[in-house]
């Protein structure tokens, strides 16, 4: 039997079902891998080894008794630290919540537990999911397994790096402006942002409520589909959750047939502004789809040029409102202002928010406060909401001539630590291809398209109309089949071996 | 670059209830000005007569029957509190002496 950490979630599920492996063996193998390499990668903020093994043993006992289990029961998973977990600390990458153990599970976490997936731990992230590099975590950065001097992208860099360094078969993420898809692109893994409302936001520590969306991260399109199926569905605890059947994403991934499908290349999301080698891998991937029987059409979305501006007004506006809950009164950090006897609640609040929030979070809260302030509201927030409508209309027109839209996921491969931290607008520009889908609430997938000349992975993005998430999986799986065949195996098998520090 | 002064940023920080140090204020004036200049592009968009879209999905308010259901115990609710007293959140003084 092969090393369980090198197997896909689908293969692990099969091996567990036929008794070739136990969940305890699989879970322990991943915990050993975490111990061996995570000091180098920094993918996890908290490893919950004992509870994961207890969950694994419970699944093994139920299977031994012949109980009818979920097909993924016993396959371990990593959870982004923005999702609340009972009994496991949840920090959202912030000092503000250091040591906080939530009294309830996020709905998506409850679904993972109900399906019998042992939780390996909580993955690192930019503080409150604000960032595109995982450098803004209060607990140190995550490193890209392909090159330790480079970021894994963000904000879900921990989840993507855990998956791409064989420390978890799959993981959960959240995507507000690209936080699942962009790190997937930079680490050579697969990430999906479902239709807004397709997965519950209950128990996700909110950044921007009209944009945040939970989704799956994995190494293959089929594994993301399997996890998507577990996480999705209506939740009465989330008033924005869609009460409609979940598309058959697993069936779509299995079908992988794009013959006759119209694939739209978004003119504004290719060419200028994208690194030549990223563009070259994209062009080759499009040719693979053509070879598989797809028809390529060019579509224009002229208002996408305003998407970045609209996003960086709407997101901080909603974030400034959502993060008002961190007031040092009911949970989280509380510190008093220096040199003040018997400080007021307001003074304690201001001192705690200064001590608990990092620079990027403060910047966005203050930007949001500005955008919502009297006299500027119409010029900034109001106009941004109008641009949002223009972008949704652009998508609607494009989907009249195309079944799916495609683009490179990110303009470049992984960048070096510190390369963009001094220039926030340069960092923000990295999300240019992912943000439009968040503004319009549409589903998107990133999968690897190959290596650029710097030896680092490039990402291929597929976008679909709302509630047509299954199309992402059909196109993604068809492309993956052809690329894996051309590469002679998964792209991740070309990643450099990581030095092990202990336990291996 | 947007015309945002150090006093403006200090005022915004006070509205957002964040004590910023002098050095943080200095850094933020430059950064915010740069960001605001870049996002001002939305004002160039063809938005005349466009209806704003506040949310990606057409949603209506959702209600549930007003029934007593299990919820957190006081101990669970207080477990993460910075301070508590007599099964309540203990907070710093709210009223000033003025």
């Amino acid at each position: 039997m092969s090393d369980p950490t090198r197997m896909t979630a689908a293969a692990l599920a099969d091996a567990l079902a036929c008794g070739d492996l136990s969940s305890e063996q699989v879970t322990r193998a991943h915990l050993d891998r975490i111990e061996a390499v995570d000091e180098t990668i920094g993918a996890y903020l908290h490893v919950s080894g004992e509870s994961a093994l207890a969950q694994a043993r419970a699944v093994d006992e139920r299977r031994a008794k012949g109980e009818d289990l979920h097909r993924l029961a016993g396959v371990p998973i990593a959870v982004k630290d923005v999702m609340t977990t009972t009994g496991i600390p949840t920090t959202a990458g912030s000092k503000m919540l250091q040591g906080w153990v939530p009294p309830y599970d996020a709905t998506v976490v409850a679904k993972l537990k109900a399906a019998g997936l042992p939780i390996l731990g909580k993955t690192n992230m930019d503080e409150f999911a604000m960032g595109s590099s995982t450098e803004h975590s209060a607990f140190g950065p995550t490193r890209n397994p392909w090159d330790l001097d480079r970021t894994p992208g963000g904000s879900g860099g921990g989840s993507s790096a855990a998956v791409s360094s064989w420390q978890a078969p799959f993981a959960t993420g959240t995507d507000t402006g690209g936080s699942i898809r962009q790190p997937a692109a930079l680490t050579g893994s697969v990430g999906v942002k479902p239709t807004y409302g397709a997965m519950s936001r209950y128990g996700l520590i909110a950044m921007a409520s009209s944009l945040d969306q939970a989704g799956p991260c994995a190494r293959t399109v089929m594994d993301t589909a399997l996890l998507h199926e577990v996480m999705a569905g209506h939740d009465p605890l989330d008033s924005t959750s869609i009460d409609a059947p979940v598309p058959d994403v697993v069936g779509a991934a299995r079908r992988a047939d794009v013959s006759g499908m119209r694939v739209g290349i978004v003119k504004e999301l290719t060419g200028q502004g994208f690194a030549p080698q990223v563009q070259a891998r994209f062009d080759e991937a499009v040719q693979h789809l053509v070879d598989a029987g797809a028809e390529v059409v060019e579509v224009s979305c002229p208002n996408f040029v305003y998407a970045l501006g609209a996003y960086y007004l709407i997101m901080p506006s909603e974030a400034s409102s959502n993060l008002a809950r961190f007031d040092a009164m009911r949970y989280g950090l509380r510190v008093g202002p220096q040199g003040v006897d018997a400080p007021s609640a307001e003074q304690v609040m201001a001192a705690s928010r200064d001590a608990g929030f990092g620079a990027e979070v403060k910047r966005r809260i203050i930007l949001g406060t500005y955008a919502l302030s009297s006299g500027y509201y119409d010029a900034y927030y109001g106009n941004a909401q109008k641009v949002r409508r223009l972008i949704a209309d652009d998508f609607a027109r494009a989907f009249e001539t195309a079944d799916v839209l495609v683009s490179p996921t990110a303009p470049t491969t992984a960048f070096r630590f510190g390369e963009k931290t001094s220039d926030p607008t340069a960092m923000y520009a990295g999300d240019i291809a992912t943000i439009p889908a968040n503004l319009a609430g549409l589903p998107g997938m990133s999968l690897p398209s190959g290596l650029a000349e710097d030896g680092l992975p490039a990402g291929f993005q597929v976008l679909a109309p709302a509630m047509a998430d299954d199309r992402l999986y059909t196109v993604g799986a068809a492309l993956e089949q052809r690329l894996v065949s051309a590469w002679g195996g998964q792209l991740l098998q070309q990643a450099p071996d990581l030095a092990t520090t202990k336990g291996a | 670059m947007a015309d945002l002064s150090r006093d403006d940023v200090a005022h915004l920080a006070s509205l957002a209830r964040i004590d910023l140090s002098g050095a943080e204020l200095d850094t933020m004036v430059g950064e915010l000005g740069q960001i605001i200049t870049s996002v001002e592009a939305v004002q160039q968009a063809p938005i005349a007569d466009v209806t704003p879209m506040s949310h990606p999905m057409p949603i209506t308010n959702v209600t549930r029957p007003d029934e007593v259901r299990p919820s957190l115990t006081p101990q669970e609710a207080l477990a993460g509190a910075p301070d508590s007293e007599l099964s309540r959140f203990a907070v710093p003084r709210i009223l000033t002496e003025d």
Side-chain angles (χ1 to χ4, degrees), chain A residues 461-475:
Chain A
Q461 177 174 240
V462 189
L463 302 169
M467 296 308 287
D469 302 48
D470 48 339
R471 290 186 204 172
L472 306 178
Y473 290 94
T474 299
V475 175

Side-chain angles (χ1 to χ4, degrees), chain A residues 275-326:
Chain A
Q277 285 276 312
V278 171
Q279 180 69 38
R281 296 296 86 78
F282 171 76
D283 294 339
E284 289 159 12
V286 169
Q287 187 57 47
H288 278 297
L289 289 174
V290 171
D291 294 345
E295 177 195 347
V296 170
V297 294
E298 185 177 272
V299 299
S300 178
C301 296
N303 295 298
F304 278 17
V305 66
Y306 305 110
L308 210 57
Y311 177 81
Y312 278 97
L313 285 164
I314 294 168
M315 175 274 294
S317 296
E318 295 188 10
S320 68
S321 172
N322 273 321
L323 269 62
R325 74 190 59 181
F326 296 99

Side-chain angles (χ1 to χ4, degrees), chain A residues 318-490:
Chain A
E318 295 188 10
S320 68
S321 172
N322 273 321
L323 269 62
R325 74 190 59 181
F326 296 99
D327 56 10
M329 298 298 133
R330 292 148 299 143
Y331 50 83
L333 182 75
R334 178 186 289 181
V335 299
Q338 286 186 335
V340 181
D341 290 334
S344 68
E346 201 171 290
Q347 289 172 314
V348 169
M349 195 184 303
S352 301
R353 286 162 68 81
D354 179 43
F357 290 144
E360 181 65 20
V361 173
K362 289 175 186 170
R363 195 155 53 210
R364 295 195 192 192
I365 289 175
I366 290 174
L367 178 60
T369 306
Y370 176 66
L372 292 175
S373 60
S374 173
Y376 296 104
Y377 181 95
D378 287 338
Y380 292 127
Y381 186 74
N383 284 344
Q385 298 287 38
K386 291 180 181 177
V387 168
R388 190 172 195 170
R389 171 82 60 194
L390 295 177
I391 286 165
D393 291 347
D394 274 2
F395 271 122
R397 271 190 299 275
F399 284 122
E400 286 172 8
T401 53
D403 299 306
V404 292
L405 305 179
V406 295
S407 77
T409 310
T412 65
T413 57
F415 43 94
R416 288 191 169 79
F417 287 103
E419 195 174 317
K420 297 185 180 180
T421 42
S422 60
D423 182 354
T425 53
M427 181 80 88
Y428 298 169
D431 297 334
I432 193 157
T434 50
I435 277 172
N438 298 85
L439 289 170
L442 307 185
M445 168 187 283
S446 177
L447 70 156
S449 58
L451 301 181
E453 60 193 356
D454 55 10
L456 297 169
F460 183 90
Q461 177 174 240
V462 189
L463 302 169
M467 296 308 287
D469 302 48
D470 48 339
R471 290 186 204 172
L472 306 178
Y473 290 94
T474 299
V475 175
L479 177 57
E480 182 184 61
Q481 271 180 12
R482 289 187 167 253
L483 288 171
V484 166
S485 169
W487 298 329
Q490 278 183 43

Side-chain angles (χ1 to χ4, degrees), chain A residues 196 210 310 330-332 334 342 344-346 350 353-354 362-363 370 379-380 383 385-386 388-389 423 425 439, chain B residues 16-17 19 24 28 31 34 36 40-43 45 47 50-56 80-83 89-90 93:
Chain A
Y196 179 86
S210 78
R330 292 148 299 143
Y331 50 83
R334 178 186 289 181
S344 68
E346 201 171 290
R353 286 162 68 81
D354 179 43
K362 289 175 186 170
R363 195 155 53 210
Y370 176 66
Y380 292 127
N383 284 344
Q385 298 287 38
K386 291 180 181 177
R388 190 172 195 170
R389 171 82 60 194
D423 182 354
T425 53
L439 289 170
Chain B
R17 303 281 186 268
D19 277 343
E24 284 179 308
M28 209 167 282
E31 288 172 347
Q34 190 187 345
I36 290 165
E40 275 172 344
V42 297
Q43 291 162 10
I47 46 177
V50 172
T51 310
M53 189 173 104
S54 63
H55 203 268
D83 194 10
F89 294 100
R93 65 192 175 91

Side-chain angles (χ1 to χ4, degrees), chain B:
Chain B
M1 186 176 285
D3 188 18
L4 202 63
S5 71
R6 194 175 189 275
D7 284 348
D8 292 334
V9 176
H11 177 60
L12 290 167
S14 74
L15 290 174
R17 303 281 186 268
I18 304 176
D19 277 343
L20 290 182
S21 68
E24 284 179 308
L25 277 176
D26 291 337
T27 308
M28 209 167 282
V29 172
E31 288 172 347
L32 283 178
Q34 190 187 345
I35 295 167
I36 290 165
T37 300
S38 73
V39 297
E40 275 172 344
V42 297
Q43 291 162 10
Q44 313 305 319
I47 46 177
D49 306 321
V50 172
T51 310
M53 189 173 104
S54 63
H55 203 268
M57 295 294 151
I59 52 172
T60 51
N61 198 13
V62 177
T63 59
R64 63 169 172 79
D66 188 12
E67 293 165 350
V68 175
R69 299 190 304 182
S71 66
L72 299 179
T73 64
Q75 290 75 20
E76 287 170 332
L78 290 166
D83 194 10
S84 65
E85 197 176 312
L86 303 171
S87 293
R88 290 168 174 82
F89 294 100
V91 301
R93 65 192 175 91
I94 291 170
L95 299 176
T96 62
E97 290 167 3
D98 299 335

Side-chain angles (χ1 to χ4, degrees), chain A residues 98-188:
Chain A
Q98 189 164 14
W100 182 58
V101 181
Y104 66 104
D105 279 324
T107 294
V108 287
V109 171
K111 283 172 177 273
L112 302 178
K113 287 184 175 175
L117 278 67
I119 294 173
L120 295 165
K122 305 295 288 291
T123 56
N124 201 3
M125 54 183 284
D126 284 305
E127 184 177 6
F128 291 111
M130 298 185 192
S132 306
S133 66
T134 318
E135 290 170 289
H136 296 298
S137 165
F139 306 110
T142 298
R143 297 183 180 278
N144 192 317
W146 288 83
D147 180 343
L148 300 176
D149 292 331
R150 294 176 191 261
T151 83
S155 67
S159 285
S160 292
V163 163
S164 57
S165 60
W166 316 97
Q167 298 188 67
F170 46 24
T172 65
T174 56
D175 191 312
T176 304
S179 288
I180 291 175
R181 290 163 289 158
Q182 185 252 15
L186 270 48
T187 60

